[in-house]
Amino acid sequence: METLEPIQQTLREIDKRVPYSLRAAFGLAHRPVALPSDDGDIASFVASFFQPQDDGPGPAETRGNDEEEEPRARAGLRMDWACYARDHDEDAHFGHGEAGVVGVADGVGGYRKRGVDAGAFSRGLMTAAFAEVCAAEPGTPVCPHTLLERAYEDTAASGAPGGSTAVILSLAPGGTDNTLRWAFIGDSAFAVFRGGRIVHRSRRQQKRFNHPLQLSAREGGVAKADVGEMAVREGDVVVVGTDGLFDNVFDGEIGVVVRMGTALGFSPKNMADVVAGVAYEMSRSNERDSPYSIDSRKHRGDRRHGGKPDDITVVVAFIVSAYS
Ligand SMILES: [Mn+2]
């Protein structure tokens, strides 16, 4: 997978590096183009890695069968994380592997019309959260809600204009705690995959269609944040992103990339690249349905098809043994 290693830097470049025939083999091709003649070969090559899975039972049905692997689940875990790129315009992200914390934020674009830097608040939140984590005693468990609250207070106090959605997730470092914790505001979101199937998906907070709750000096802080936790185990994959990801790519399509990447031995960076590339391509499509176009037809009664052009942030965190 060395061709996916980190030299790239724009979504367009990433998108071009993911072989189209590979996408077609996994049903992720959005453009109606003639496929190379080796497509069947790639499909069988890929299929040889694993049995294709159907959508399977939803999160509710997949819970409750944890007992058999409980001893393994209790082993010390850590996050091996990556993001496809450093900068994302009005989106921002951070991560700290040793502390087991990742976060993404999305500056609310409406502020752009008022002539302010719509990315100031999201960058402020992620910069403040990262600084807070770095300043903590190593090994200190991170509470995502407290971290988001402090990051908000720092950002608001700095006078940053605008507002932002945000999500922060943490996994207690090193020890025997296998609990993934989260706090989020708005439609910055995440999904947890186990065996390539979703076992948890955050639900967006919005006032009305396309108007997510946000953190801003005017609208306030983290009182409305959604918080929660779940047990994770080695091999779980956490995909964290802004609406540029989740409005363009269906959960099932992300699951396909997670299964493909797991079967092919992707690194977190490889997987983040491919997920971001799929989201980018979909965001420019005028044809295929996206989560956004379906919602838009439902809530606005329009005839929209295709994706939603937006900044796209994707962080992928593998849950791995603390001793690996
Ligand atoms: Mn966005």
Side-chain angles (χ1 to χ4, degrees), residues 211-269:
H211 287 77
L213 297 192
Q214 59 179 282
L215 300 168
S216 70
R218 204 173 54 135
E219 296 198 27
V222 297
K224 290 182 181 165
D226 193 318
V227 299
E229 62 179 49
M230 67 179 286
V232 288
R233 59 174 74 155
E234 187 178 355
D236 287 355
V237 175
V238 186
V239 178
V240 192
T242 55
D243 62 340
L245 168 63
F246 289 106
D247 275 347
N248 280 310
V249 186
F250 291 100
D251 291 351
E253 294 176 314
I254 300 174
V256 168
V257 179
V258 170
R259 294 202 290 274
M260 171 173 82
T262 303
L264 299 179
F266 281 11
S267 68
K269 173 70 167 59

Side-chain angles (χ1 to χ4, degrees), residues 16 37 53 73 112 133 198 200 255 259 281:
K16 280 165 76 173
S37 59
Q53 301 182 30
R112 219 177 300 127
V133 171
I198 285 192
H200 184 81
R259 294 202 290 274
E281 187 187 344

Side-chain angles (χ1 to χ4, degrees), residues 91 106 242-244 308 310-311:
D91 284 0
D106 180 350
T242 55
D243 62 340
K308 181 177 94 166
D310 197 358
D311 299 331

Side-chain angles (χ1 to χ4, degrees), residues 28-303:
L28 291 169
H30 292 150
R31 276 183 279 125
V33 297
L35 292 168
S37 59
D38 67 349
D39 179 51
D41 294 341
I42 288 181
S44 18
F45 168 71
V46 164
S48 72
F49 280 93
F50 67 107
Q51 292 298 311
Q53 301 182 30
D54 59 19
D55 284 344
E61 289 92 339
T62 56
R63 292 193 167 186
N65 57 356
D66 293 354
E67 291 80 4
E68 61 194 63
E69 293 186 39
E70 188 64 17
R72 189 174 181 192
R74 286 214 152 312
L77 300 173
R78 66 179 176 86
M79 279 185 190
D80 185 9
W81 75 278
C83 185
Y84 74 87
R86 187 178 295 275
D87 299 314
H88 324 257
D89 297 328
E90 290 162 8
D91 284 0
H93 79 279
F94 82 104
H96 193 298
E98 292 74 36
V101 191
V102 295
V104 309
D106 180 350
V108 175
Y111 289 95
R112 219 177 300 127
K113 294 180 214 145
R114 302 179 207 173
V116 305
D117 175 2
F121 216 90
S122 54
R123 288 194 302 272
L125 284 174
M126 296 294 97
T127 302
F130 183 63
E132 181 88 21
V133 171
C134 290
E137 187 72 24
T140 309
V142 173
C143 168
H145 187 262
T146 304
L147 183 57
L148 191 57
E149 182 171 40
R150 289 183 183 156
Y152 165 75
E153 285 166 359
D154 283 359
T155 307
S158 76
S164 179
T165 70
V167 57
I168 292 177
L169 297 105
S170 76
L171 181 67
T176 54
D177 189 349
N178 62 347
T179 305
L180 181 74
R181 297 183 170 82
W182 60 82
F184 68 88
I185 286 273
D187 58 7
S188 286
F190 67 96
V192 181
F193 294 87
R194 181 168 299 154
R197 290 181 175 168
I198 285 192
V199 289
H200 184 81
R201 171 72 154 87
S202 63
R203 293 296 154 207
R204 71 175 64 202
Q205 300 174 307
Q206 61 182 1
K207 290 173 276 191
R208 59 186 187 280
F209 177 64
N210 216 26
H211 287 77
L213 297 192
Q214 59 179 282
L215 300 168
S216 70
R218 204 173 54 135
E219 296 198 27
V222 297
K224 290 182 181 165
D226 193 318
V227 299
E229 62 179 49
M230 67 179 286
V232 288
R233 59 174 74 155
E234 187 178 355
D236 287 355
V237 175
V238 186
V239 178
V240 192
T242 55
D243 62 340
L245 168 63
F246 289 106
D247 275 347
N248 280 310
V249 186
F250 291 100
D251 291 351
E253 294 176 314
I254 300 174
V256 168
V257 179
V258 170
R259 294 202 290 274
M260 171 173 82
T262 303
L264 299 179
F266 281 11
S267 68
K269 173 70 167 59
N270 297 152
M271 201 177 278
D273 279 4
V274 176
V275 172
V278 169
Y280 175 72
E281 187 187 344
M282 190 60 225
S283 75
R284 296 157 63 85
S285 164
N286 294 318
E287 293 156 12
R288 281 266 304 249
D289 259 334
S290 63
Y292 183 77
S293 70
I294 290 174
D295 274 359
S296 185
R297 294 203 300 275
K298 189 163 124 193
H299 294 284
R300 288 177 170 156
D302 58 22
R303 296 184 175 188

